[in-house]
Amino acid sequence: MRVCFLIPDGVGIRNYLYSPILPILNAAGAEIVIWHGLDPEVITQSKKLHTGFFPGEFPFVNHREDPIAQLLRDSVSYARLALNSRKLANPTLMDNWLPKKTTKGKVSNFVATLLGKTIKSDKQIIAVENIVKSQNRKSDAYFKYKKELKNINPDILFCTHQRMPNAGIAMLAAQDMGIKTVAAIFSWDNLPKGRLPVRADDYLVWSAYMKEELACYFPNIDQQRVHIVGTPQFDFYKNQEVFQSREEFAASNGLDAHKHWVCFSGDDSLTSPHDPLYLNDLAENLKVHKNIQILFRPVPVEGHHRYVDVLEKHPNIVLMKPKWKQGNMWNTFFPYYEDIAVLVNLARHSAAVINVGSTMALDFAQFDKPGLYVNYDVKPDHHWSIKRTYQFQHFRTMDGLNPVGWINSPQEIESKIIQAIESPFLVGPDRIKWKQKIVFEEEGILASQKIADWLFQLQKK
């Protein structure tokens, strides 16, 4: 079995290049190659990690997309968001129709919006998607990817995430050549965003909940071709080789091992523009507690420039810089493997994590640690509101559960943090149930192993 992992950008690095899936497949006798558009330093890092084994490489190039296909694809994205927004009675789905910055992009978005408004049903969406496929089959990109695939010659083409349009054209070329295609849904909040340019024969999802979502948002996808395998994203939390003792972690990061640690994890400026104010509120309300250290981890793709004034004002905040290589765009950033170990030990040894609706609550739940979601506005006249954030579709996974603690005002910060430290079982007591709803995990079996086993079964069909 020859498996080609298509990793078009930095999104798939941690889950597939750094996870155990490559050595598991190699040990089981699979031939593995990667088709990637990654920084050479990523490959150097991966070779250091997988000593004695590394798959063959082929360069993946982002060829120019056919402009008509691109316009129609964007129109379908708008139409799908509008349709699903009505279907689920959730207007926040339309927040995923993001503005573009360039004049050309703004014009394209305007035209795509006008066209999208004329597409009213799933049947019409499918008809337009078929036109997009027809256009792509006439494009230079399609023929170039076909030529490259003949050279790679895989039995299975595995795309590590579903969002990249060029990867979608490559997958279409593979399907037309009779190559089996698989796409992994990358994250728990991706499906409501209505963007699925990568179409495959089979899809791998995190959980039964995500499988139901795929059926809801993309009803033309055969549910028998959607498979629940979990995600390699959380396999690292089961790898004791990266575990450090509390004292070791403190020594390597300039922390006081005798203090309680609480982690504030930052979001990007679009998702949470007022994070510096929330971090400041946290520090102000905890400054009398000399036995508590605030560990601040900024979002890797932006750095900490927004927080400089807060960090200077509050020396009780310890900056935990993510160990990432900076890129020109968010999808060209990538983590060093060392960052995974830091993140695992941060979740393992901190008392709690505080943020605005971040996935980090799921990371901390891996060690049954409480998450606290900030839930108050600091600039009521600003166009962004925290109340709308928690109306986003992926937070409906919380329905009927009490999975996180809520900080509803600055005055609640101190008491909620103290409660999380002293009585963590009272803060978001349903966090494990919530995690199990979002992420399917089997005791003693890594998601990487499940995916590898499934790929071997697929090859036999």
Side-chain angles (χ1 to χ4, degrees), residues 161-226:
H161 73 87
Q162 78 295 339
R163 299 185 307 204
M164 187 120 177
N166 283 85
I169 301 171
M171 295 284 275
L172 177 64
Q175 288 171 321
D176 289 349
M177 295 170 68
I179 298 167
K180 295 175 181 178
T181 58
V182 181
I185 305 300
F186 178 71
S187 189
W188 70 308
D189 65 347
N190 283 176
L191 290 175
K193 295 178 179 178
R195 296 190 290 272
L196 193 66
V198 173
R199 294 306 177 92
D201 300 318
D202 292 271
Y203 298 85
L204 303 185
V205 296
W206 289 22
S207 61
Y209 184 91
M210 189 180 280
K211 183 173 181 176
E212 291 170 5
E213 278 195 308
L214 194 59
C216 175
Y217 302 131
F218 301 90
N220 60 314
I221 291 176
D222 183 356
Q223 282 293 287
Q224 293 185 357
R225 308 307 296 267
V226 181

Side-chain angles (χ1 to χ4, degrees), residues 142-334:
Y142 173 84
F143 289 106
K144 287 176 179 176
Y145 289 137
K146 259 194 164 182
K147 183 178 180 181
E148 290 165 31
L149 282 163
K150 285 180 183 177
N151 186 33
I152 298 169
N153 192 31
D155 298 306
I156 299 171
L157 182 61
F158 186 118
C159 188
T160 57
H161 73 87
Q162 78 295 339
R163 299 185 307 204
M164 187 120 177
N166 283 85
I169 301 171
M171 295 284 275
L172 177 64
Q175 288 171 321
D176 289 349
M177 295 170 68
I179 298 167
K180 295 175 181 178
T181 58
V182 181
I185 305 300
F186 178 71
S187 189
W188 70 308
D189 65 347
N190 283 176
L191 290 175
K193 295 178 179 178
R195 296 190 290 272
L196 193 66
V198 173
R199 294 306 177 92
D201 300 318
D202 292 271
Y203 298 85
L204 303 185
V205 296
W206 289 22
S207 61
Y209 184 91
M210 189 180 280
K211 183 173 181 176
E212 291 170 5
E213 278 195 308
L214 194 59
C216 175
Y217 302 131
F218 301 90
N220 60 314
I221 291 176
D222 183 356
Q223 282 293 287
Q224 293 185 357
R225 308 307 296 267
V226 181
H227 313 279
I228 301 166
V229 294
T231 172
Q233 180 170 327
F234 298 115
D235 283 354
F236 303 103
Y237 292 87
K238 301 171 182 65
N239 180 9
Q240 296 192 18
E241 291 182 6
V242 303
F243 287 5
Q244 290 180 293
S245 69
R246 185 177 179 84
E247 290 70 25
E248 288 171 334
F249 186 64
S252 58
N253 290 280
L255 308 177
D256 188 335
H258 301 291
K259 292 186 178 182
H260 299 292
W261 300 332
V262 294
C263 173
F264 182 94
S265 62
D267 282 310
D268 62 87
S269 53
L270 180 64
T271 302
S272 186
H274 306 318
D275 264 1
L277 298 177
Y278 293 131
L279 179 58
N280 183 73
D281 284 350
L282 178 65
E284 285 287 345
N285 282 274
L286 293 182
K287 63 184 178 182
V288 297
H289 294 275
K290 303 303 181 184
N291 65 333
I292 298 176
Q293 271 190 319
I294 299 169
L295 314 186
F296 168 48
R297 179 181 169 88
V299 65
V301 295
E302 279 192 0
H304 66 282
H305 63 277
R306 291 195 291 152
Y307 303 86
V308 171
D309 292 343
V310 179
L311 295 173
E312 289 178 353
K313 181 181 176 183
H314 296 288
N316 60 321
I317 301 174
V318 180
L319 175 62
M320 305 283 289
K321 283 186 182 180
K323 299 180 185 296
W324 281 54
K325 173 75 177 286
Q326 307 298 299
N328 296 321
M329 298 175 64
W330 69 267
N331 59 357
T332 60
F333 285 63
F334 70 84

